[in-house]
Amino acid sequence: MPVLNTRVNGKTVQKEIKPTTLLVAFLRDGMGLTGTHVGCDTSQCGACVVHVDGVAVKSCTMLALQAEGADIQTIEDLAGDDGTLHPVQQAFQKHHALQCGFCTPGMIMASVALLSANPRPSPAQIRHGLEGNICRCTGYQNIVNAVLDASGQLGG
Amino acid sequence: MNRVKIGQSVPRVEDQRFVTGRGRYIDDIDFPDQAHGMALRSPHAHARILSVDLSEAQNLSGVLFCFSGQDWADEGFGPLPTKSAVRTNSDGTDFKEPPRSCMAVDRARHVGEIVAFVVAETRATAIAALELIVVDYDPLDAITDPVAALQPGAVQIWDDIPNNLCIDWDLGDKTATDDAFARADHVVCLDLINNRVTAAPIEPRGAIAQYHTDSDTYTLHNATQNIHANRDIFATNVLHIANENLHHLAPDVGGGFGAKNGAYPEPALVLYAARKVGRPVKWINDRSESFLSDTHGRDQVSRVELALKGDGTFLALRTDSIGNLGSHCATVGPFTISGGSARTQGGPYGFEAMHYRGRGVFTNVALIDPYRGAGRPEASYQTERIIEYAARKLGFDPVELRRKNLIPPERLPLKTAMGLDVDCGNFPHVFEQTLAMTNRRSYGDRVTKSAASGNARGFAISPYLECTGGSPKEFVKIDFRADGQVDMSVGSQSTGMGHETALPQILASQLGLPLSDITFTQADTNATPLGGGHGGSRGLELGGNAVFQVANAIVVAGKSVAGHIFDLPADQVEFADGRFFVPDSNHNLSIREVIDASLDADHLPDTIDPQCMNRNSTFERGIISIPNGCHAAEVEVDLETGRVTIDGYWVVDDFGTIINPMLADGQVMGGIAQGIGQALLEDIKYDPQSGQLLSGSFLDYAMPRADHIPTMEIGYYEGAPTKKNPLGVKGAGEAGCVGAPPAIVNAVLDALQEFAVDHLDMPLTSEKVWQAVKGNVAK
Ligand code: FES
Ligand code: FES
């Protein structure tokens, strides 16, 4: 079996894996990082979004071996080492931008990437930017507000 | 977060783990030595199963156990029963319940029905083994349309159920309704379809079963929203074991909306498999399997008739609805097309008489069970569509026609013609409050502006009347621990609604305890002796009131403990803001001090039980509550493309007492989004000939995304807390979904007035709207 050399949440990882292993399966089953979720089998829902070299990627659309040499970040690594939540995580809680929480890790990772590409997005840009992530619970409005707030656009 | 109150938007406790990826959903759980199960599902909508050959699959390395429907039947397991509260036809005979075996034995009746099951070392091996199973099918003609299925000579789903008719039921006064129609000045009639949709919680269903040889008992972790009722079904009805020998629990559940409410076959199959292989067995549905095998919602074909006086006063409403139940009765099954759709017919309007007839019909498609609202969205759609249609046909202003017919508060309490006990509310006030939010004054300008850019604008207002449902009892247990922690165990269940915050919030508010002291447990048959789970917007109505009630009992017990310490009779002790005290004295203790004293058996007299403040309580609902409210929508239709944009959305809800406004808003918005999804996008479509599911993935089934959902403005009317329960709550979970579809559809049809489109069935996709604009509407 081939060996994957990569970095996951800041730690160097070397692991033998089957060449057909999807990145999401590697993270969940291989690394025990179950915060990255699987909500579909057609790359439509976005519950599996992680960052690969800082870019939001649906981890169900990528083979783990394609992450050779890459830097992978999952939801588990977003808060500070002392447990301080990332501003997007904080804003999600403050604005009730999650209910069942199943879409949330993917939604937060997608939002963080969106804000690093566009630090002051308009509501329309947020809605458009999160098009790849389905949330069945919230009706999205609070997610939009959370992202606006995390980008410092809501005042208070 | 310390002192919290009822009515405060307390941020959610559970979010801490959800935003950090530490939620624990079914697929996040693994047990040592666990095996994996996968189902082989019928590719045919209707076929005889001549043989199932498992030998090759069985021989694949890594396969532990395979079984077919026949093997399952040979074990003597019972079918999954329907628990429908309505069980008789209107002529008094029993409804028809065909056996719903967990596996198809000699005939498959819808695509996705389970034909065989494989358990293997890994999921990949199980999937590989499915490929090796050889099933000899003899395909039969299939039928998917419930109206066609009722016709003589139609394909028979069940040999002994003529015309595929499960139930033919009615409610209301038929004679009085006929009489009102006979003397009406105006009668209008509309045929409409409430499209089949799927709840599609983002977490697919899954379960893990364990069998404990030494005790001959089972543990089932299951992504379900109804732990106790389904435990009883799996134990008593299917496996024929004692209920207490099955420990059923749910971890974090990633949404349910009704689709995780019923008892499904797969958990029963893994229970059996776990015993056979002597190892834990895990099964997780794929999304594709979820589309095929989750229960769907809605799917009714209805004729609605409204009788009016010349001045627009409503006289009577008549609805005749045919519900497509799918191939079997699901757990709630025929209740949705009968009682579920009947009770709120007519909405918040006055009628002399109403009559509802509901027929449930079997076809070769997946089963119908509750989906957020379970009949009330259908009733609301039927009522509001016929009113809008009548206004157009008869030349009334739709806003005025509604205003004229709303039941005024001075007529409450009343029993509606459907027998619904409406105790309180102020429908006209809620209506005007909604209308006031909609910037009606500048509406004309917006219409002109839209027209200038080649678009058409439409508006609709849509009051609704709701009722709660679900299991009528709820249990809560409070244990104060010596280390200061408070354990709360409840039988109601959140699958995202936030009970982990809202229920402790009630206890903390009543007792003046810090919220952070309370540890919450739900969805565990070992933690509570009974539990109604989730469904029918019952969370606060049942669970919330159970907590409220137990808090009162704790205060009573605390007074006797405090009285002992103060050396005064308990009836002189008062309690407020977390303190027991005697007025005009220096006797004053915090609740924590009194709890600690109550746990200290050595210093209590014999007359006081040292466990006296550790209480449990069962709350039982008397009469169901009546949430109500009003939605309004403004839409713009792009006449070039048919695309509908929702430009404004307003809602005012009367949910009685609001415990946590932020969570209530969340319920309203999520429900509206699902209602918008049904109105504009979502459609479960089967090929009418083959019975194949055409919208079987998120590629083909259009889920609402952030771009589709507008900003919603939400208001509440809090002037009428119900007296039906001590908290005064009416239920909030389903209302959004009840009000939204007619608001959206009526607004789009308003925009299309100049194109003389009387009606369009949901979903109002761009193509459908564009065809209507082009005049290509079949009538
Ligand atoms: S799991 Fe749905 S997009 Fe990856
Ligand atoms: S919070 Fe449940 S799917 Fe988004």
Side-chain angles (χ1 to χ4, degrees), chain B residues 101-181:
Chain B
S101 169
C102 292
M103 301 177 81
V105 181
D106 48 14
R107 192 155 141 195
R109 292 178 170 85
H110 70 86
V111 173
E113 203 177 344
I114 300 174
V115 172
F117 200 78
V118 172
V119 182
E121 293 289 349
T122 66
R123 186 175 163 92
T125 305
I127 292 170
L130 294 181
E131 301 281 317
L132 301 176
I133 298 174
V134 183
V135 184
D136 192 3
Y137 291 103
D138 174 19
L140 302 167
D141 286 343
I143 193 159
T144 63
D145 174 39
V147 178
L150 272 178
Q151 302 312 310
V155 170
Q156 283 284 117
I157 316 298
W158 297 94
D159 295 338
D160 53 352
I161 301 182
N163 299 322
N164 302 306
L165 182 64
C166 168
I167 195 163
D168 185 349
W169 180 87
D170 78 330
L171 187 70
D173 188 333
K174 186 170 185 310
T175 315
T177 305
D178 291 347
D179 175 61
F181 269 87

Side-chain angles (χ1 to χ4, degrees), chain B residues 215-237:
Chain B
S215 53
D216 191 21
T217 59
Y218 299 80
T219 303
L220 180 66
H221 287 77
N222 191 2
T224 172
Q225 57 187 62
N226 208 347
I227 286 295
H228 287 79
N230 290 339
R231 184 266 319 263
D232 296 357
I233 290 178
F234 293 134
T236 303
N237 298 93

Side-chain angles (χ1 to χ4, degrees), chain B residues 18 37-38 45 93 121 130 159 199 220 255 260 280 301 410 416 428 546 583 595 597 632 682 692 715:
Chain B
F18 292 148
M38 286 289 288
T93 57
E121 293 289 349
L130 294 181
D159 295 338
L220 180 66
K260 288 179 184 162
V301 181
E410 52 278 12
T416 70
I595 292 165
E682 300 176 38
Q692 293 295 327

Side-chain angles (χ1 to χ4, degrees), chain A residues 136, chain B residues 677 680-683 695 697-704 708:
Chain A
R136 192 52 150 169
Chain B
L680 296 181
L681 301 161
E682 300 176 38
D683 206 12
S695 46
S697 80
F698 286 147
L699 288 164
D700 312 295
Y701 186 87
M703 294 280 277
H708 297 115

Side-chain angles (χ1 to χ4, degrees), chain B residues 335-590:
Chain B
F335 181 73
T336 301
I337 185 64
S338 54
S341 298
R343 292 173 302 176
T344 53
Q345 288 285 328
Y349 305 101
F351 286 93
E352 278 181 21
M354 283 191 251
H355 184 254
Y356 176 87
R357 179 188 189 193
R359 278 171 285 177
V361 180
F362 296 116
T363 69
N364 295 113
V365 300
L367 281 53
I368 282 286
D369 229 14
Y371 168 49
R372 206 171 197 163
R376 287 105 80 202
E378 292 90 322
S380 167
Y381 187 69
Q382 289 149 357
T383 304
E384 288 299 324
R385 274 301 296 128
I386 191 71
I387 291 172
E388 190 78 11
Y389 181 74
R392 304 272 175 233
K393 284 280 145 189
L394 306 174
F396 294 109
D397 175 344
V399 174
E400 280 310 319
L401 186 62
R402 288 183 169 86
R403 184 179 271 143
K404 181 183 181 66
N405 284 286
L406 286 169
I407 300 169
E410 52 278 12
R411 281 192 53 210
L412 302 183
L414 63 70
K415 243 193 173 76
T416 70
M418 283 286 131
L420 205 60
D421 186 326
V422 183
D423 58 332
C424 61
N426 191 334
F427 309 143
H429 186 284
V430 168
F431 184 82
E432 302 304 336
Q433 193 181 339
T434 313
L435 205 55
M437 289 161 79
T438 65
N439 318 316
R440 282 298 275 167
R441 261 198 216 116
S442 51
Y443 179 68
D445 300 342
R446 295 196 292 279
V447 171
T448 313
K449 224 170 135 197
S450 295
S453 43
N455 298 331
R457 186 167 284 265
F459 171 84
I461 189 160
S462 191
Y464 74 87
L465 188 80
E466 247 255 81
C467 62
T468 53
S471 171
K473 266 192 199 175
E474 201 46 271
F475 177 90
V476 62
K477 183 168 89 185
I478 305 295
D479 279 315
F480 294 104
R481 297 199 320 227
D483 66 2
Q485 278 296 302
V486 182
D487 290 334
M488 171 188 281
S489 305
V490 297
S492 58
Q493 190 191 343
S494 168
T495 57
M497 300 78 87
H499 296 183
E500 195 168 336
T501 302
L503 298 184
Q505 181 179 346
I506 295 170
L507 188 75
S509 161
Q510 294 310 104
L511 298 185
L513 287 166
L515 189 61
S516 53
D517 283 2
I518 303 171
T519 307
F520 178 84
T521 302
Q522 65 166 15
D524 183 339
T525 53
N526 281 4
T528 64
L530 65 91
H534 150 51
S537 301
R538 67 186 294 285
L540 284 180
E541 188 197 24
L542 277 299
N545 278 299
V547 172
F548 189 76
Q549 189 169 279
V550 87
N552 292 340
I554 289 166
V555 169
V556 170
K559 283 181 179 172
S560 66
V561 176
H564 161 70
I565 299 169
F566 300 153
D567 209 8
L568 286 169
D571 61 9
Q572 291 188 21
V573 180
E574 295 189 11
F575 179 79
D577 290 331
R579 303 197 72 87
F580 291 93
F581 61 97
V582 177
D584 306 321
S585 82
N586 55 5
H587 291 311
N588 194 317
L589 288 172
S590 74

Side-chain angles (χ1 to χ4, degrees), chain A residues 97-104 107 134-138, chain B residues 202 254-255:
Chain A
L98 62 147
Q99 291 184 24
C100 78
F102 199 78
C103 73
T104 308
M107 201 62 93
I134 305 177
C135 175
R136 192 52 150 169
C137 297
T138 62
Chain B
I202 302 305

Side-chain angles (χ1 to χ4, degrees), chain A residues 41 93 99-100 127 136 141, chain B residues 12 25 199 288 704 709 712:
Chain A
D41 44 18
Q93 177 173 34
Q99 291 184 24
C100 78
R127 288 184 186 272
R136 192 52 150 169
Q141 184 163 330
Chain B
R12 297 205 319 173
Y25 302 89
S288 311
I709 305 299
M712 301 160 252

